PDB file of all heavy atoms in Angstrom:
ATOM      1  N   LEU W  30     121.539  68.374  75.318  1.00 90.00           N
ATOM      2  CA  LEU W  30     121.022  68.774  74.010  1.00 90.00           C
ATOM      3  C   LEU W  30     122.085  69.645  73.356  1.00 90.00           C
ATOM      4  O   LEU W  30     122.665  70.513  74.008  1.00 90.00           O
ATOM      5  CB  LEU W  30     119.731  69.556  74.183  1.00 90.00           C
ATOM      6  CG  LEU W  30     118.648  68.803  74.966  1.00 90.00           C
ATOM      7  CD1 LEU W  30     117.373  69.603  74.958  1.00 90.00           C
ATOM      8  CD2 LEU W  30     118.388  67.432  74.371  1.00 90.00           C
ATOM      9  N   GLY W  32     123.762  72.203  70.396  1.00 87.00           N
ATOM     10  CA  GLY W  32     123.522  73.253  69.392  1.00 87.00           C
ATOM     11  C   GLY W  32     122.612  74.373  69.874  1.00 87.00           C
ATOM     12  O   GLY W  32     122.337  75.293  69.127  1.00 87.00           O
ATOM     13  N   LEU W  33     122.152  74.294  71.147  1.00 89.00           N
ATOM     14  CA  LEU W  33     121.228  75.328  71.591  1.00 89.00           C
ATOM     15  C   LEU W  33     121.982  76.484  72.238  1.00 89.00           C
ATOM     16  O   LEU W  33     122.152  76.526  73.452  1.00 89.00           O
ATOM     17  CB  LEU W  33     120.222  74.736  72.566  1.00 89.00           C
ATOM     18  CG  LEU W  33     119.287  73.700  71.957  1.00 89.00           C
ATOM     19  CD1 LEU W  33     118.365  73.128  73.001  1.00 89.00           C
ATOM     20  CD2 LEU W  33     118.458  74.329  70.843  1.00 89.00           C
ATOM     21  N   SER W  34     122.460  77.400  71.400  1.00 86.00           N
ATOM     22  CA  SER W  34     123.138  78.541  72.000  1.00 86.00           C
ATOM     23  C   SER W  34     122.075  79.396  72.675  1.00 86.00           C
ATOM     24  O   SER W  34     120.967  79.545  72.188  1.00 86.00           O
ATOM     25  CB  SER W  34     123.912  79.326  70.956  1.00 86.00           C
ATOM     26  OG  SER W  34     123.082  79.726  69.920  1.00 86.00           O
ATOM     27  N   ARG W  45     115.882  71.741  80.542  1.00 84.00           N
ATOM     28  CA  ARG W  45     116.579  71.116  81.660  1.00 84.00           C
ATOM     29  C   ARG W  45     116.140  69.655  81.834  1.00 84.00           C
ATOM     30  O   ARG W  45     114.957  69.363  81.944  1.00 84.00           O
ATOM     31  CB  ARG W  45     116.277  71.917  82.928  1.00 84.00           C
ATOM     32  CG  ARG W  45     117.051  71.469  84.111  1.00 84.00           C
ATOM     33  CD  ARG W  45     116.981  72.518  85.176  1.00 84.00           C
ATOM     34  NE  ARG W  45     117.776  73.685  84.827  1.00 84.00           N
ATOM     35  CZ  ARG W  45     117.771  74.802  85.530  1.00 84.00           C
ATOM     36  NH1 ARG W  45     117.001  74.924  86.574  1.00 84.00           N
ATOM     37  NH2 ARG W  45     118.531  75.814  85.171  1.00 84.00           N
ATOM     38  N   ARG W  49     116.046  62.966  81.064  1.00 92.00           N
ATOM     39  CA  ARG W  49     115.487  62.420  82.309  1.00 92.00           C
ATOM     40  C   ARG W  49     113.965  62.378  82.228  1.00 92.00           C
ATOM     41  O   ARG W  49     113.324  61.410  82.622  1.00 92.00           O
ATOM     42  CB  ARG W  49     115.908  63.280  83.502  1.00 92.00           C
ATOM     43  CG  ARG W  49     117.371  63.104  83.826  1.00 92.00           C
ATOM     44  CD  ARG W  49     117.764  63.845  85.083  1.00 92.00           C
ATOM     45  NE  ARG W  49     119.140  63.508  85.444  1.00 92.00           N
ATOM     46  CZ  ARG W  49     119.567  63.434  86.696  1.00 92.00           C
ATOM     47  NH1 ARG W  49     118.754  63.679  87.693  1.00 92.00           N
ATOM     48  NH2 ARG W  49     120.810  63.134  86.945  1.00 92.00           N
ATOM     49  N   LYS W  79     130.498  60.784  82.958  1.00 79.00           N
ATOM     50  CA  LYS W  79     131.040  60.115  84.116  1.00 79.00           C
ATOM     51  C   LYS W  79     130.260  60.324  85.399  1.00 79.00           C
ATOM     52  O   LYS W  79     130.575  59.748  86.421  1.00 79.00           O
ATOM     53  CB  LYS W  79     132.488  60.581  84.326  1.00 79.00           C
ATOM     54  CG  LYS W  79     133.396  60.149  83.200  1.00 79.00           C
ATOM     55  CD  LYS W  79     134.842  60.481  83.501  1.00 79.00           C
ATOM     56  CE  LYS W  79     135.758  60.079  82.379  1.00 79.00           C
ATOM     57  NZ  LYS W  79     135.547  60.833  81.139  1.00 79.00           N
ATOM     58  N   ASP W  80     129.272  61.191  85.380  1.00 84.00           N
ATOM     59  CA  ASP W  80     128.577  61.530  86.625  1.00 84.00           C
ATOM     60  C   ASP W  80     127.733  60.336  87.109  1.00 84.00           C
ATOM     61  O   ASP W  80     126.770  59.937  86.453  1.00 84.00           O
ATOM     62  CB  ASP W  80     127.687  62.751  86.378  1.00 84.00           C
ATOM     63  CG  ASP W  80     127.025  63.219  87.660  1.00 84.00           C
ATOM     64  OD1 ASP W  80     127.435  62.742  88.737  1.00 84.00           O
ATOM     65  OD2 ASP W  80     126.119  64.054  87.585  1.00 84.00           O
ATOM     66  N   TYR W  81     128.128  59.780  88.265  1.00 86.00           N
ATOM     67  CA  TYR W  81     127.452  58.595  88.785  1.00 86.00           C
ATOM     68  C   TYR W  81     126.011  58.896  89.169  1.00 86.00           C
ATOM     69  O   TYR W  81     125.166  58.011  89.236  1.00 86.00           O
ATOM     70  CB  TYR W  81     128.240  58.071  89.989  1.00 86.00           C
ATOM     71  CG  TYR W  81     127.879  56.667  90.378  1.00 86.00           C
ATOM     72  CD1 TYR W  81     128.163  55.602  89.528  1.00 86.00           C
ATOM     73  CD2 TYR W  81     127.262  56.391  91.589  1.00 86.00           C
ATOM     74  CE1 TYR W  81     127.834  54.313  89.881  1.00 86.00           C
ATOM     75  CE2 TYR W  81     126.928  55.103  91.951  1.00 86.00           C
ATOM     76  CZ  TYR W  81     127.222  54.050  91.096  1.00 86.00           C
ATOM     77  OH  TYR W  81     126.902  52.788  91.454  1.00 86.00           O
ATOM     78  N   ASN W  82     125.725  60.192  89.400  1.00 87.00           N
ATOM     79  CA  ASN W  82     124.352  60.586  89.723  1.00 87.00           C
ATOM     80  C   ASN W  82     123.374  60.114  88.659  1.00 87.00           C
ATOM     81  O   ASN W  82     122.236  59.773  88.945  1.00 87.00           O
ATOM     82  CB  ASN W  82     124.260  62.113  89.820  1.00 87.00           C
ATOM     83  CG  ASN W  82     124.716  62.601  91.175  1.00 87.00           C
ATOM     84  OD1 ASN W  82     124.269  62.088  92.191  1.00 87.00           O
ATOM     85  ND2 ASN W  82     125.613  63.576  91.192  1.00 87.00           N
ATOM     86  N   LEU W  85     122.499  56.673  89.402  1.00 89.00           N
ATOM     87  CA  LEU W  85     121.605  56.578  90.554  1.00 89.00           C
ATOM     88  C   LEU W  85     120.181  56.952  90.147  1.00 89.00           C
ATOM     89  O   LEU W  85     119.209  56.336  90.577  1.00 89.00           O
ATOM     90  CB  LEU W  85     122.100  57.498  91.671  1.00 89.00           C
ATOM     91  CG  LEU W  85     123.447  57.095  92.266  1.00 89.00           C
ATOM     92  CD1 LEU W  85     123.950  58.165  93.216  1.00 89.00           C
ATOM     93  CD2 LEU W  85     123.347  55.766  92.986  1.00 89.00           C
ATOM     94  N   THR W 117     129.487  49.633  87.395  1.00 78.00           N
ATOM     95  CA  THR W 117     129.508  49.723  88.857  1.00 78.00           C
ATOM     96  C   THR W 117     128.124  49.912  89.469  1.00 78.00           C
ATOM     97  O   THR W 117     127.990  49.842  90.675  1.00 78.00           O
ATOM     98  CB  THR W 117     130.383  50.913  89.279  1.00 78.00           C
ATOM     99  OG1 THR W 117     129.997  52.024  88.490  1.00 78.00           O
ATOM    100  CG2 THR W 117     131.840  50.610  89.076  1.00 78.00           C
ATOM    101  N   LYS W 119     124.551  49.476  91.005  1.00 83.00           N
ATOM    102  CA  LYS W 119     123.785  48.404  91.635  1.00 83.00           C
ATOM    103  C   LYS W 119     122.343  48.574  91.199  1.00 83.00           C
ATOM    104  O   LYS W 119     121.730  49.591  91.486  1.00 83.00           O
ATOM    105  CB  LYS W 119     123.860  48.548  93.149  1.00 83.00           C
ATOM    106  CG  LYS W 119     124.958  47.735  93.769  1.00 83.00           C
ATOM    107  CD  LYS W 119     124.771  47.730  95.278  1.00 83.00           C
ATOM    108  CE  LYS W 119     126.104  47.861  95.980  1.00 83.00           C
ATOM    109  NZ  LYS W 119     125.982  48.336  97.346  1.00 83.00           N
ATOM    110  N   VAL W 363     134.514  94.837  40.478  1.00 88.00           N
ATOM    111  CA  VAL W 363     133.706  93.810  41.122  1.00 88.00           C
ATOM    112  C   VAL W 363     133.748  92.528  40.302  1.00 88.00           C
ATOM    113  O   VAL W 363     133.865  91.429  40.839  1.00 88.00           O
ATOM    114  CB  VAL W 363     132.254  94.292  41.312  1.00 88.00           C
ATOM    115  CG1 VAL W 363     131.337  93.122  41.576  1.00 88.00           C
ATOM    116  CG2 VAL W 363     132.174  95.274  42.446  1.00 88.00           C
ATOM    117  N   HIS W 365     136.105  91.580  38.463  1.00 89.00           N
ATOM    118  CA  HIS W 365     137.414  90.974  38.706  1.00 89.00           C
ATOM    119  C   HIS W 365     137.420  90.217  40.020  1.00 89.00           C
ATOM    120  O   HIS W 365     137.936  89.107  40.102  1.00 89.00           O
ATOM    121  CB  HIS W 365     138.509  92.049  38.724  1.00 89.00           C
ATOM    122  CG  HIS W 365     138.750  92.643  37.365  1.00 89.00           C
ATOM    123  ND1 HIS W 365     139.968  93.072  36.918  1.00 89.00           N
ATOM    124  CD2 HIS W 365     137.904  92.872  36.344  1.00 89.00           C
ATOM    125  CE1 HIS W 365     139.866  93.550  35.691  1.00 89.00           C
ATOM    126  NE2 HIS W 365     138.611  93.447  35.323  1.00 89.00           N
ATOM    127  N   PHE W 369     137.963  86.376  40.501  1.00 90.00           N
ATOM    128  CA  PHE W 369     139.040  85.925  41.380  1.00 90.00           C
ATOM    129  C   PHE W 369     138.512  84.870  42.362  1.00 90.00           C
ATOM    130  O   PHE W 369     139.115  83.821  42.565  1.00 90.00           O
ATOM    131  CB  PHE W 369     139.603  87.143  42.121  1.00 90.00           C
ATOM    132  CG  PHE W 369     140.607  86.801  43.185  1.00 90.00           C
ATOM    133  CD1 PHE W 369     141.707  85.989  42.906  1.00 90.00           C
ATOM    134  CD2 PHE W 369     140.469  87.320  44.466  1.00 90.00           C
ATOM    135  CE1 PHE W 369     142.627  85.701  43.888  1.00 90.00           C
ATOM    136  CE2 PHE W 369     141.390  87.026  45.446  1.00 90.00           C
ATOM    137  CZ  PHE W 369     142.474  86.207  45.163  1.00 90.00           C
ATOM    138  N   GLU W 397     136.528  70.351  71.775  1.00 87.00           N
ATOM    139  CA  GLU W 397     135.240  69.853  71.315  1.00 87.00           C
ATOM    140  C   GLU W 397     134.881  70.403  69.935  1.00 87.00           C
ATOM    141  O   GLU W 397     134.092  69.805  69.210  1.00 87.00           O
ATOM    142  CB  GLU W 397     134.127  70.246  72.292  1.00 87.00           C
ATOM    143  CG  GLU W 397     134.106  69.433  73.565  1.00 87.00           C
ATOM    144  CD  GLU W 397     135.132  69.887  74.585  1.00 87.00           C
ATOM    145  OE1 GLU W 397     135.971  70.763  74.257  1.00 87.00           O
ATOM    146  OE2 GLU W 397     135.125  69.372  75.705  1.00 87.00           O
ATOM    147  N   LYS W 431     126.132 101.900  46.242  1.00 60.00           N
ATOM    148  CA  LYS W 431     125.605 103.108  45.617  1.00 60.00           C
ATOM    149  C   LYS W 431     124.498 102.742  44.628  1.00 60.00           C
ATOM    150  O   LYS W 431     123.427 103.339  44.627  1.00 60.00           O
ATOM    151  CB  LYS W 431     126.736 103.846  44.903  1.00 60.00           C
ATOM    152  CG  LYS W 431     126.297 105.186  44.406  1.00 60.00           C
ATOM    153  CD  LYS W 431     127.444 106.026  43.992  1.00 60.00           C
ATOM    154  CE  LYS W 431     126.997 107.429  43.599  1.00 60.00           C
ATOM    155  NZ  LYS W 431     126.059 107.435  42.526  1.00 60.00           N
TER     156      LYS W 431
ATOM    157  N   VAL S 259     129.585 112.244  45.494  1.00 85.00           N
ATOM    158  CA  VAL S 259     130.558 111.158  45.335  1.00 85.00           C
ATOM    159  C   VAL S 259     131.968 111.740  45.260  1.00 85.00           C
ATOM    160  O   VAL S 259     132.918 111.203  45.843  1.00 85.00           O
ATOM    161  CB  VAL S 259     130.241 110.349  44.062  1.00 85.00           C
ATOM    162  CG1 VAL S 259     131.387 109.400  43.743  1.00 85.00           C
ATOM    163  CG2 VAL S 259     128.968 109.581  44.234  1.00 85.00           C
ATOM    164  N   MET S 283     135.451 101.363  40.609  1.00 85.00           N
ATOM    165  CA  MET S 283     134.071 100.994  40.918  1.00 85.00           C
ATOM    166  C   MET S 283     133.158 102.204  40.945  1.00 85.00           C
ATOM    167  O   MET S 283     131.951 102.084  40.921  1.00 85.00           O
ATOM    168  CB  MET S 283     134.014 100.342  42.300  1.00 85.00           C
ATOM    169  CG  MET S 283     134.196  98.856  42.329  1.00 85.00           C
ATOM    170  SD  MET S 283     133.153  98.001  41.179  1.00 85.00           S
ATOM    171  CE  MET S 283     131.548  98.229  41.917  1.00 85.00           C
ATOM    172  N   LYS S 323     132.813  73.826  81.838  1.00 90.00           N
ATOM    173  CA  LYS S 323     133.246  72.441  81.727  1.00 90.00           C
ATOM    174  C   LYS S 323     133.889  71.982  83.044  1.00 90.00           C
ATOM    175  O   LYS S 323     133.665  70.881  83.521  1.00 90.00           O
ATOM    176  CB  LYS S 323     134.261  72.335  80.593  1.00 90.00           C
ATOM    177  CG  LYS S 323     134.137  71.038  79.824  1.00 90.00           C
ATOM    178  CD  LYS S 323     135.052  71.046  78.635  1.00 90.00           C
ATOM    179  CE  LYS S 323     136.027  69.917  78.729  1.00 90.00           C
ATOM    180  NZ  LYS S 323     136.956  69.858  77.631  1.00 90.00           N
ATOM    181  N   LEU S 331     129.924  63.038  89.957  1.00 82.00           N
ATOM    182  CA  LEU S 331     130.175  62.073  91.009  1.00 82.00           C
ATOM    183  C   LEU S 331     130.767  60.843  90.339  1.00 82.00           C
ATOM    184  O   LEU S 331     130.189  60.326  89.389  1.00 82.00           O
ATOM    185  CB  LEU S 331     128.836  61.740  91.669  1.00 82.00           C
ATOM    186  CG  LEU S 331     128.786  60.535  92.575  1.00 82.00           C
ATOM    187  CD1 LEU S 331     129.630  60.784  93.808  1.00 82.00           C
ATOM    188  CD2 LEU S 331     127.350  60.272  92.976  1.00 82.00           C
ATOM    189  N   SER S 333     131.863  56.876  90.118  1.00 78.00           N
ATOM    190  CA  SER S 333     131.278  55.665  90.675  1.00 78.00           C
ATOM    191  C   SER S 333     132.159  55.147  91.801  1.00 78.00           C
ATOM    192  O   SER S 333     131.682  54.547  92.755  1.00 78.00           O
ATOM    193  CB  SER S 333     131.123  54.625  89.574  1.00 78.00           C
ATOM    194  OG  SER S 333     132.362  54.439  88.933  1.00 78.00           O
ATOM    195  N   ASP S 340     129.966  53.664 100.243  1.00 86.00           N
ATOM    196  CA  ASP S 340     129.079  52.551 100.552  1.00 86.00           C
ATOM    197  C   ASP S 340     129.831  51.512 101.388  1.00 86.00           C
ATOM    198  O   ASP S 340     129.340  51.047 102.420  1.00 86.00           O
ATOM    199  CB  ASP S 340     128.591  51.950  99.226  1.00 86.00           C
ATOM    200  CG  ASP S 340     127.478  50.954  99.445  1.00 86.00           C
ATOM    201  OD1 ASP S 340     126.560  51.271 100.236  1.00 86.00           O
ATOM    202  OD2 ASP S 340     127.530  49.858  98.857  1.00 86.00           O
ATOM    203  N   MET S1113     124.278  61.801  97.367  1.00 79.00           N
ATOM    204  CA  MET S1113     124.421  61.260  96.014  1.00 79.00           C
ATOM    205  C   MET S1113     123.071  60.725  95.611  1.00 79.00           C
ATOM    206  O   MET S1113     122.791  59.531  95.617  1.00 79.00           O
ATOM    207  CB  MET S1113     125.454  60.146  96.025  1.00 79.00           C
ATOM    208  CG  MET S1113     126.831  60.667  96.383  1.00 79.00           C
ATOM    209  SD  MET S1113     127.968  59.330  96.656  1.00 79.00           S
ATOM    210  CE  MET S1113     129.377  60.217  97.274  1.00 79.00           C
ATOM    211  N   GLY S1115     121.307  61.152  92.804  1.00 79.00           N
ATOM    212  CA  GLY S1115     120.936  61.102  91.391  1.00 79.00           C
ATOM    213  C   GLY S1115     120.601  62.480  90.860  1.00 79.00           C
ATOM    214  O   GLY S1115     119.869  62.611  89.894  1.00 79.00           O
ATOM    215  N   ARG S1116     121.154  63.519  91.475  1.00 81.00           N
ATOM    216  CA  ARG S1116     120.824  64.878  91.046  1.00 81.00           C
ATOM    217  C   ARG S1116     121.365  65.178  89.653  1.00 81.00           C
ATOM    218  O   ARG S1116     122.289  64.517  89.179  1.00 81.00           O
ATOM    219  CB  ARG S1116     121.385  65.881  92.049  1.00 81.00           C
ATOM    220  CG  ARG S1116     122.893  65.818  92.161  1.00 81.00           C
ATOM    221  CD  ARG S1116     123.390  66.753  93.223  1.00 81.00           C
ATOM    222  NE  ARG S1116     122.826  66.394  94.517  1.00 81.00           N
ATOM    223  CZ  ARG S1116     122.853  67.210  95.564  1.00 81.00           C
ATOM    224  NH1 ARG S1116     123.359  68.401  95.439  1.00 81.00           N
ATOM    225  NH2 ARG S1116     122.346  66.837  96.718  1.00 81.00           N
ATOM    226  N   ALA S1119     125.276  68.229  87.311  1.00 86.00           N
ATOM    227  CA  ALA S1119     126.330  68.110  86.307  1.00 86.00           C
ATOM    228  C   ALA S1119     125.719  68.063  84.917  1.00 86.00           C
ATOM    229  O   ALA S1119     126.216  68.689  83.983  1.00 86.00           O
ATOM    230  CB  ALA S1119     127.150  66.847  86.561  1.00 86.00           C
ATOM    231  N   GLU S1121     123.001  69.446  83.982  1.00 88.00           N
ATOM    232  CA  GLU S1121     122.585  70.794  83.598  1.00 88.00           C
ATOM    233  C   GLU S1121     123.761  71.631  83.127  1.00 88.00           C
ATOM    234  O   GLU S1121     123.666  72.383  82.167  1.00 88.00           O
ATOM    235  CB  GLU S1121     121.926  71.480  84.792  1.00 88.00           C
ATOM    236  CG  GLU S1121     120.438  71.216  84.820  1.00 88.00           C
ATOM    237  CD  GLU S1121     119.816  71.666  86.118  1.00 88.00           C
ATOM    238  OE1 GLU S1121     120.290  72.659  86.688  1.00 88.00           O
ATOM    239  OE2 GLU S1121     118.850  71.014  86.565  1.00 88.00           O
ATOM    240  N   GLU S1124     124.651  70.702  79.752  1.00 87.00           N
ATOM    241  CA  GLU S1124     123.680  71.341  78.852  1.00 87.00           C
ATOM    242  C   GLU S1124     124.123  72.770  78.561  1.00 87.00           C
ATOM    243  O   GLU S1124     124.136  73.228  77.434  1.00 87.00           O
ATOM    244  CB  GLU S1124     122.334  71.390  79.593  1.00 87.00           C
ATOM    245  CG  GLU S1124     121.143  71.424  78.688  1.00 87.00           C
ATOM    246  CD  GLU S1124     120.659  70.027  78.369  1.00 87.00           C
ATOM    247  OE1 GLU S1124     120.144  69.373  79.274  1.00 87.00           O
ATOM    248  OE2 GLU S1124     120.840  69.601  77.235  1.00 87.00           O
ATOM    249  N   LYS S1125     124.544  73.439  79.624  1.00 89.00           N
ATOM    250  CA  LYS S1125     124.957  74.826  79.491  1.00 89.00           C
ATOM    251  C   LYS S1125     126.213  74.916  78.623  1.00 89.00           C
ATOM    252  O   LYS S1125     126.336  75.791  77.769  1.00 89.00           O
ATOM    253  CB  LYS S1125     125.233  75.395  80.886  1.00 89.00           C
ATOM    254  CG  LYS S1125     125.327  76.896  80.913  1.00 89.00           C
ATOM    255  CD  LYS S1125     125.432  77.393  82.339  1.00 89.00           C
ATOM    256  CE  LYS S1125     125.804  78.847  82.391  1.00 89.00           C
ATOM    257  NZ  LYS S1125     126.150  79.293  83.721  1.00 89.00           N
ATOM    258  N   GLY S1128     125.389  74.746  75.120  1.00 89.00           N
ATOM    259  CA  GLY S1128     124.842  76.019  74.649  1.00 89.00           C
ATOM    260  C   GLY S1128     125.971  76.958  74.263  1.00 89.00           C
ATOM    261  O   GLY S1128     125.940  77.594  73.204  1.00 89.00           O
ATOM    262  N   ALA S1131     127.653  75.853  71.110  1.00 89.00           N
ATOM    263  CA  ALA S1131     126.865  76.180  69.914  1.00 89.00           C
ATOM    264  C   ALA S1131     127.071  77.638  69.533  1.00 89.00           C
ATOM    265  O   ALA S1131     127.254  77.986  68.363  1.00 89.00           O
ATOM    266  CB  ALA S1131     125.395  75.898  70.190  1.00 89.00           C
ATOM    267  N   GLU S1132     127.045  78.493  70.563  1.00 89.00           N
ATOM    268  CA  GLU S1132     127.211  79.920  70.299  1.00 89.00           C
ATOM    269  C   GLU S1132     128.602  80.172  69.726  1.00 89.00           C
ATOM    270  O   GLU S1132     128.791  80.920  68.775  1.00 89.00           O
ATOM    271  CB  GLU S1132     127.008  80.683  71.599  1.00 89.00           C
ATOM    272  CG  GLU S1132     126.742  82.159  71.361  1.00 89.00           C
ATOM    273  CD  GLU S1132     126.533  82.908  72.661  1.00 89.00           C
ATOM    274  OE1 GLU S1132     126.339  82.265  73.706  1.00 89.00           O
ATOM    275  OE2 GLU S1132     126.568  84.149  72.623  1.00 89.00           O
ATOM    276  N   GLU S1153     142.427  90.967  46.080  1.00 91.00           N
ATOM    277  CA  GLU S1153     141.930  91.429  44.786  1.00 91.00           C
ATOM    278  C   GLU S1153     142.327  92.890  44.557  1.00 91.00           C
ATOM    279  O   GLU S1153     142.683  93.284  43.461  1.00 91.00           O
ATOM    280  CB  GLU S1153     140.404  91.258  44.716  1.00 91.00           C
ATOM    281  CG  GLU S1153     139.763  91.785  43.438  1.00 91.00           C
ATOM    282  CD  GLU S1153     140.392  91.231  42.160  1.00 91.00           C
ATOM    283  OE1 GLU S1153     140.893  90.076  42.192  1.00 91.00           O
ATOM    284  OE2 GLU S1153     140.404  91.946  41.141  1.00 91.00           O
TER     285      GLU S1153
END
Side-chain angles (χ1 to χ4, degrees):
Chain W
L30 304 186
L33 295 178
S34 56
R45 186 165 288 173
R49 288 186 173 213
K79 294 186 181 66
D80 185 12
Y81 196 66
N82 278 310
L85 294 172
T117 47
K119 266 191 220 159
V363 163
H365 291 213
F369 173 52
E397 285 80 353
K431 188 167 185 301
Chain S
V259 169
M283 270 310 290
K323 216 174 120 181
L331 166 67
S333 54
D340 190 45
M1113 296 171 188
R1116 61 184 60 195
E1121 270 169 33
E1124 206 90 69
K1125 195 173 168 191
E1132 197 180 346
E1153 177 53 30

